[in-house]
Amino acid sequence: MLNILRAIVQEVSAARDLPVALDIIVRRVKEAMQTAVCSVYLYDKETSRYTLMATEGLNKAAEGKVTLGRSEGLIGQVGLREEPINLHDAATHPKFSYIKETGEESFHAFLGVPIIHHRRLLGVVVVQGEDIRRFDEHEEAFLVTLTAQLAGLIAHAEATGALKKSADEHPQAARFNGVAGAPGVAIGQAVPFIPCAELDAIQDRQAQDIKVELELFDLALDAVRVELKETAAKLDDRIRPEEKALFDAYLRMLDDDALGKEIRDRIKQGHWVQGALRQVISEHVAQFEMMDDPYLRERAMDIKDLGRRILASLLQKDPPKIEYPPNTILVSEELSATMLGQVPQEQLAGLVSVNGSSNSHVAILARAMGIPTVMGAMELPYTHIGGREVIVDGNLGLVYTSAPPELLNNYREVVEEEKQFKVGLEALRDEPCITPDNYRLPLWVNTGLMTDTVRSLDRGAEGVGLYRTEVPFMIRECFPSEAEQQQIYRQQLEAFAPRPVTMRTLDIGGDKSLSYFPIREENPFLGWRGIRVTLDHPEIFLVQVRAMLKASAGLDNLRIMLPLITSPSEVEDALHLIHRAHYEVLAEGLQVTLPPVGVMIEVPAAVYQARELAKLVDFLSIGSNDLTQYLLAVDRNNPRVADLYHQFHPAVLTALQQVVQAGHAEGKPVGICGEMAGDPAAAILLMAMGFDVLSMNATNLLRVKWALRNITLDRAKEILEDVMKMDNAWVIHSTVELGLKKAGLGQIMSSRSKQLEGK
Ligand code: PEP
Ligand code: MG
């Protein structure tokens, strides 16, 4: 059975459109279950009716013509009850309604299964038989299993079909979920980027003349090197040397001792150049794709992209000449960093990638360049949306095609307001963050790339609450040396001095890993992450802490922070190593004071032991991104459960409040450095809870400052008191936003609220 199931799913997924997919389903299911009839009815929520879309066994002429109301007949019952109905004789059921056009009078046995995708009813699959008998439990289980698997494919085919409707019909609006790649909202015209050379189509062949093949390969490599350098040069004024290192990494992959050598070796074994290229690239891609680690999986995209470029150069195919409209939204199956350079920068409004995550190189670059980006929009039929108007919501990780006018207007307002608001906000750069009733709350920033530093200073950040040291580690090919690290950290400390800079010790594992230090685990978020890795590798930890301490000489604005702490003993071990590193630095003759050390509260265990932890260190800082994921058991990067990841969940708010109280009971300041701090609505609650500092993405700093300068601490406390009595995250979020609106702060409502308002 499993083989048949797999074969059907495979065949359906290869279908070119919805009608073909449905035809395959009815034909193959009828065959597999040896029944007289299999039919698919699809539900249209606009008209609240089912339509018989495909059948094998009933009258074919009824396809597309027979329709049923939402609760009509047995089909309506299956849909309403959202569960299978299995009857020995359909006609004896009180809800049975006979439809003459289908010619179903000779069938008795009936099994209907609802097609449900992400809680949405798409339709019903029905099998019917001539005998009076119930389908047995294996048959029922087979159809339920198959339908559950087909639901995603049908949803995808349906979305594609809606997009393909002819110009005189208004194509249906569709929303595709992905993950937030780079913040901001963009509205523009979709330009699909379809690679001009496909490696998979290359056949194996013997080389006629190995020398000639090697020469061809060298020429192609040279051309790709030039192309990569040109692309990097085009991005020159928008990215910093740190980010440009990505292109150097690409170039190094082509070197003689990397992919280049392997391909040459294959040619020398007698393969023609294109075959050798395909073999080596697909082997590497397959290896990377199999890895559990998301960062490494992303590298498969980079290698595939390089392979395609070399092939295009061998085929002497220039990249297709594309006319880029003024507001280009570049969409691709696997957007790569090099594709960015091909669009004139002033015309590039947004980016969407079907594959990839917020770790992809392209997402890192997009954040640095401030281009709203959605990654991992898995169900987006990107080849069909060329020329259409699309909305890219990089804050929420959503893409809309053919959006209805109200939604479009809402988003247009968001884009316009963002623009205007940004201009107005700049005036606040040097103003303190102080409420109308004179409560002062310092706003700090989170940094990683050099670009963040520049943007943070531009926006008047008062300090750095989280410097993610893993970022410079991630865009290199081996661990940076102590001297290299010292130089990077010095830049960061100098840029902000005398303001404090909180450097987090290396936080890898989970969704962040290093290509040169792979961590393969079944469950990486519950595995070897954060402090667990560095305590197991004191040589890495000590080098890093020494580099931080040395970098702080004469500046004295360093703070050290430990990620993913689960137990006080980890803090004790880390403090021991920090003291040792300090001693070693002093022994080298450098005058460096021991910096304040703090702990990140990111794990539920740390919430319960916050007081014990606070006793050991100088400050606490909540990493609400991880804390939310662990409290709610929702993977922070998984688009399937993105709706469940809610920072306004009462459990999250209660945990935050408890940590503030625990820290203060020990006389230690408590900050927060998760994304939440950068959401003005959340910031108001956080202020009311008593956080001593909010640290956020520089993009949001002025927006949060504006909100806090316009609401009194007293009013914020009233809102907090109200919401702490509520038990539903969505209700809490809307209550806070309503509170903001009433206080005259409607302008900073998130695009999600705007969008919901427009519904
Ligand atoms: C967090 O978990 O909230 C945090 C700030 O750390 P990161 O997002 O880097 O895991
Ligand atoms: Mg974290």
PDB file of all heavy atoms in Angstrom, residues 414-427:
ATOM      1  N   VAL A 414       0.442  51.380   4.802  1.00  0.00           N
ATOM      2  CA  VAL A 414       1.559  51.009   5.680  1.00  0.00           C
ATOM      3  C   VAL A 414       2.882  51.493   5.076  1.00  0.00           C
ATOM      4  O   VAL A 414       3.700  52.119   5.753  1.00  0.00           O
ATOM      5  CB  VAL A 414       1.618  49.472   5.886  1.00  0.00           C
ATOM      6  CG1 VAL A 414       2.871  49.070   6.651  1.00  0.00           C
ATOM      7  CG2 VAL A 414       0.386  48.979   6.623  1.00  0.00           C
ATOM      8  N   VAL A 415       3.051  51.235   3.752  1.00  0.00           N
ATOM      9  CA  VAL A 415       4.304  51.627   3.097  1.00  0.00           C
ATOM     10  C   VAL A 415       4.455  53.151   3.166  1.00  0.00           C
ATOM     11  O   VAL A 415       5.522  53.674   3.524  1.00  0.00           O
ATOM     12  CB  VAL A 415       4.321  51.162   1.621  1.00  0.00           C
ATOM     13  CG1 VAL A 415       5.532  51.705   0.878  1.00  0.00           C
ATOM     14  CG2 VAL A 415       4.289  49.645   1.554  1.00  0.00           C
ATOM     15  N   GLU A 416       3.380  53.855   2.848  1.00  0.00           N
ATOM     16  CA  GLU A 416       3.425  55.318   2.827  1.00  0.00           C
ATOM     17  C   GLU A 416       3.705  55.864   4.230  1.00  0.00           C
ATOM     18  O   GLU A 416       4.594  56.689   4.426  1.00  0.00           O
ATOM     19  CB  GLU A 416       2.085  55.841   2.274  1.00  0.00           C
ATOM     20  CG  GLU A 416       2.070  57.306   1.891  1.00  0.00           C
ATOM     21  CD  GLU A 416       3.325  57.757   1.118  1.00  0.00           C
ATOM     22  OE1 GLU A 416       3.822  57.035   0.214  1.00  0.00           O
ATOM     23  OE2 GLU A 416       3.818  58.830   1.459  1.00  0.00           O
ATOM     24  N   GLU A 417       2.966  55.318   5.208  1.00  0.00           N
ATOM     25  CA  GLU A 417       3.156  55.793   6.576  1.00  0.00           C
ATOM     26  C   GLU A 417       4.578  55.520   7.045  1.00  0.00           C
ATOM     27  O   GLU A 417       5.192  56.340   7.715  1.00  0.00           O
ATOM     28  CB  GLU A 417       2.190  55.086   7.531  1.00  0.00           C
ATOM     29  CG  GLU A 417       0.847  55.774   7.595  1.00  0.00           C
ATOM     30  CD  GLU A 417      -0.134  54.976   8.432  1.00  0.00           C
ATOM     31  OE1 GLU A 417       0.302  54.110   9.198  1.00  0.00           O
ATOM     32  OE2 GLU A 417      -1.339  55.221   8.296  1.00  0.00           O
ATOM     33  N   GLU A 418       5.070  54.315   6.656  1.00  0.00           N
ATOM     34  CA  GLU A 418       6.442  53.972   7.078  1.00  0.00           C
ATOM     35  C   GLU A 418       7.410  55.025   6.563  1.00  0.00           C
ATOM     36  O   GLU A 418       8.299  55.452   7.267  1.00  0.00           O
ATOM     37  CB  GLU A 418       6.833  52.590   6.538  1.00  0.00           C
ATOM     38  CG  GLU A 418       6.011  51.489   7.133  1.00  0.00           C
ATOM     39  CD  GLU A 418       6.867  50.321   7.611  1.00  0.00           C
ATOM     40  OE1 GLU A 418       8.085  50.492   7.779  1.00  0.00           O
ATOM     41  OE2 GLU A 418       6.291  49.266   7.825  1.00  0.00           O
ATOM     42  N   LYS A 419       7.148  55.403   5.269  1.00  0.00           N
ATOM     43  CA  LYS A 419       8.048  56.373   4.643  1.00  0.00           C
ATOM     44  C   LYS A 419       7.991  57.712   5.392  1.00  0.00           C
ATOM     45  O   LYS A 419       8.993  58.259   5.807  1.00  0.00           O
ATOM     46  CB  LYS A 419       7.603  56.575   3.182  1.00  0.00           C
ATOM     47  CG  LYS A 419       8.758  56.396   2.203  1.00  0.00           C
ATOM     48  CD  LYS A 419       8.395  56.893   0.836  1.00  0.00           C
ATOM     49  CE  LYS A 419       7.772  55.820  -0.033  1.00  0.00           C
ATOM     50  NZ  LYS A 419       7.076  56.314  -1.204  1.00  0.00           N
ATOM     51  N   GLN A 420       6.752  58.195   5.577  1.00  0.00           N
ATOM     52  CA  GLN A 420       6.544  59.492   6.229  1.00  0.00           C
ATOM     53  C   GLN A 420       7.056  59.463   7.662  1.00  0.00           C
ATOM     54  O   GLN A 420       7.717  60.371   8.118  1.00  0.00           O
ATOM     55  CB  GLN A 420       5.037  59.790   6.316  1.00  0.00           C
ATOM     56  CG  GLN A 420       4.317  59.738   5.022  1.00  0.00           C
ATOM     57  CD  GLN A 420       4.208  61.119   4.456  1.00  0.00           C
ATOM     58  OE1 GLN A 420       4.025  62.059   5.210  1.00  0.00           O
ATOM     59  NE2 GLN A 420       4.348  61.235   3.162  1.00  0.00           N
ATOM     60  N   PHE A 421       6.684  58.358   8.289  1.00  0.00           N
ATOM     61  CA  PHE A 421       6.989  58.212   9.690  1.00  0.00           C
ATOM     62  C   PHE A 421       8.503  58.234   9.906  1.00  0.00           C
ATOM     63  O   PHE A 421       9.007  58.888  10.808  1.00  0.00           O
ATOM     64  CB  PHE A 421       6.388  56.887  10.154  1.00  0.00           C
ATOM     65  CG  PHE A 421       6.256  56.764  11.637  1.00  0.00           C
ATOM     66  CD1 PHE A 421       5.680  57.776  12.374  1.00  0.00           C
ATOM     67  CD2 PHE A 421       6.691  55.628  12.291  1.00  0.00           C
ATOM     68  CE1 PHE A 421       5.547  57.658  13.741  1.00  0.00           C
ATOM     69  CE2 PHE A 421       6.557  55.504  13.652  1.00  0.00           C
ATOM     70  CZ  PHE A 421       5.988  56.519  14.382  1.00  0.00           C
ATOM     71  N   LYS A 422       9.199  57.543   8.979  1.00  0.00           N
ATOM     72  CA  LYS A 422      10.657  57.480   9.076  1.00  0.00           C
ATOM     73  C   LYS A 422      11.238  58.889   9.038  1.00  0.00           C
ATOM     74  O   LYS A 422      12.130  59.220   9.794  1.00  0.00           O
ATOM     75  CB  LYS A 422      11.215  56.666   7.904  1.00  0.00           C
ATOM     76  CG  LYS A 422      11.476  55.236   8.267  1.00  0.00           C
ATOM     77  CD  LYS A 422      12.206  54.550   7.145  1.00  0.00           C
ATOM     78  CE  LYS A 422      11.861  53.086   7.103  1.00  0.00           C
ATOM     79  NZ  LYS A 422      12.005  52.515   5.774  1.00  0.00           N
ATOM     80  N   VAL A 423      10.691  59.712   8.123  1.00  0.00           N
ATOM     81  CA  VAL A 423      11.196  61.072   7.985  1.00  0.00           C
ATOM     82  C   VAL A 423      10.977  61.819   9.306  1.00  0.00           C
ATOM     83  O   VAL A 423      11.892  62.422   9.862  1.00  0.00           O
ATOM     84  CB  VAL A 423      10.476  61.801   6.827  1.00  0.00           C
ATOM     85  CG1 VAL A 423      10.940  63.234   6.716  1.00  0.00           C
ATOM     86  CG2 VAL A 423      10.700  61.042   5.535  1.00  0.00           C
ATOM     87  N   GLY A 424       9.735  61.709   9.858  1.00  0.00           N
ATOM     88  CA  GLY A 424       9.421  62.398  11.103  1.00  0.00           C
ATOM     89  C   GLY A 424      10.267  61.892  12.263  1.00  0.00           C
ATOM     90  O   GLY A 424      10.676  62.655  13.142  1.00  0.00           O
ATOM     91  N   LEU A 425      10.526  60.588  12.226  1.00  0.00           N
ATOM     92  CA  LEU A 425      11.226  59.980  13.359  1.00  0.00           C
ATOM     93  C   LEU A 425      12.678  60.430  13.472  1.00  0.00           C
ATOM     94  O   LEU A 425      13.238  60.469  14.567  1.00  0.00           O
ATOM     95  CB  LEU A 425      11.212  58.455  13.212  1.00  0.00           C
ATOM     96  CG  LEU A 425       9.885  57.758  13.480  1.00  0.00           C
ATOM     97  CD1 LEU A 425      10.038  56.272  13.238  1.00  0.00           C
ATOM     98  CD2 LEU A 425       9.439  58.000  14.912  1.00  0.00           C
ATOM     99  N   GLU A 426      13.249  60.780  12.312  1.00  0.00           N
ATOM    100  CA  GLU A 426      14.665  61.133  12.362  1.00  0.00           C
ATOM    101  C   GLU A 426      14.956  62.269  13.347  1.00  0.00           C
ATOM    102  O   GLU A 426      16.008  62.326  13.967  1.00  0.00           O
ATOM    103  CB  GLU A 426      15.175  61.464  10.957  1.00  0.00           C
ATOM    104  CG  GLU A 426      15.848  60.243  10.358  1.00  0.00           C
ATOM    105  CD  GLU A 426      15.552  60.041   8.904  1.00  0.00           C
ATOM    106  OE1 GLU A 426      15.521  61.042   8.172  1.00  0.00           O
ATOM    107  OE2 GLU A 426      15.327  58.875   8.509  1.00  0.00           O
ATOM    108  N   ALA A 427      13.947  63.130  13.531  1.00  0.00           N
ATOM    109  CA  ALA A 427      14.124  64.262  14.448  1.00  0.00           C
ATOM    110  C   ALA A 427      14.327  63.786  15.887  1.00  0.00           C
ATOM    111  O   ALA A 427      14.841  64.524  16.728  1.00  0.00           O
ATOM    112  CB  ALA A 427      12.904  65.164  14.368  1.00  0.00           C
TER     113      ALA A 427
END
